[in-house]
Amino acid sequence: MTAALKLHHARLARWILIPLAAAAGIGLAVPAGASSSIHAAGTLANVVSLADSGTYSVCALLSSGTVDCWGQNTYGELGNGTTTSSDVPVAVLGLSGAKAIAGDENGGGFCAVLSTGHLKCWGQNTYGELGAGTTAATSTVPVAVKNISTATAVFGSYHGFCALLSTRHVDCWGYGGSGQLGNGSFANSNVPVAVRNISNATTVTGGYETFCARLSTSHVDCWGYGTFGQLGNGSLTSSDVPVPVKNISTATALAQSGVNSDDVSSVCALLASGTADCWGFNQYGELGNGTTTTSDVPVAVLGVSGAKAVTGDYNGSGFCVVLSTGHMKCWGDNFYGELGAGTTAATSTVPVPVKNISTATAVFGGQAAFCTRLSTRHVDCWGSGATGQLGDGSVQSSNVPVPVQAAS
């Protein structure tokens, strides 16, 4: 990456985890290499999951079924009826019974799956990413997605979303310029359209204009932007319908990482063996195989065993896994300390241990940063913090995990 692009990368990375940490209860002003803070009464302990949007906003799904968001609010992505940004969590209006959330990876909005199987979305709508059938530019409060009543999960990409349905089909909406709606078209859609030839999906992951689905057979299909091999099918061509990833037959989980300023992404699959395979862009070592060579077919990540969860970051370029021991490993870009290893190395092409984490149960990627949910349901974050996204009110990054503080 050129110096100019790296600087752009830096600016893009600043917003997501500081607010994330704020709502999750993290203290960011921890010197590099210092141990993580004790999770005292002032730290957030009821987070079910986290999601980020590419305009530097973060939302937390709480055990109450409500959602709190914080960060930038240019497009109404905080969902509280305003366009005023907030460095502390604010409640999303008109949401109850939420059971899953996702953010638009390079737009400015979020979607939530409700306990009824319906969805609501809020924020930017430039390409119809609210799925509401409208041409309104934004919505500062959640609006209902049309024609979906059996959603079980939702996943974000570049100005768009896909929903996994109880039938194991997948519907997508929003920007379709690289074929990422999967319906045989390169057109946008402001209402959900069915992804072709997918009837047995168990999960989906979204990246830069690319989606991939794990199937009930444990194979993986991908569709959308493929110029850097991120479809994993041995080609560098985009596809407006799903294509099978080569040599993957035991996938248990999927994740994508990308650099939106470079229009690139990579995909990793956890395998039943507890190992991981990755494919796509590899300038920062995000394939974890000891090289920086891009691959259009899956390659094995080195030094990972017992992996049970995986995520990628955005406007960084790397991945982290949770191991069966509760420890974690990360690899790829480390410009902001997003490997959590306490080092200042620019990258790592192989996985390295995250410091001071031994009870991780899940991991979430943000803008050049990561957060992990611990067995106590507290949250620790690390990486870019230049705009406070690690959550302690500071503007410092951290190359080791720090605890997110409760909202004031």
Side-chain angles (χ1 to χ4, degrees), residues 106-162:
N106 198 39
F110 294 88
C111 290
V113 177
L114 309 181
S115 57
T116 60
H118 295 82
L119 292 115
K120 286 188 174 182
C121 300
W122 60 97
Q124 191 171 12
N125 195 42
T126 305
Y127 301 99
E129 51 265 58
L130 298 185
T134 72
T135 56
T138 63
S139 179
T140 63
V141 295
V143 294
V145 174
K146 284 188 173 293
N147 307 322
I148 291 187
S149 60
T150 62
T152 60
V154 64
F155 309 90
S157 179
Y158 176 91
H159 290 290
F161 294 90
C162 287

Side-chain angles (χ1 to χ4, degrees), residues 178-203:
S178 292
Q180 65 265 43
L181 302 188
N183 66 330
S185 167
F186 290 90
N188 306 331
S189 180
N190 63 15
V191 294
V193 294
V195 176
R196 290 189 180 182
N197 307 320
I198 296 283
S199 60
N200 62 337
T202 63
T203 191

Side-chain angles (χ1 to χ4, degrees), residues 7-18 56 314-316 335-336 338 366-369 383-387 389:
L7 180 58
H8 179 56
H9 171 183
R11 284 195 288 264
L12 288 175
R14 291 174 184 171
W15 256 92
I16 290 268
L17 271 180
I18 290 182
Y56 324 123
Y314 266 82
N315 286 315
F335 194 76
Y336 303 97
E338 53 262 57
Q367 298 280 344
S384 175
T387 52
Q389 62 263 45

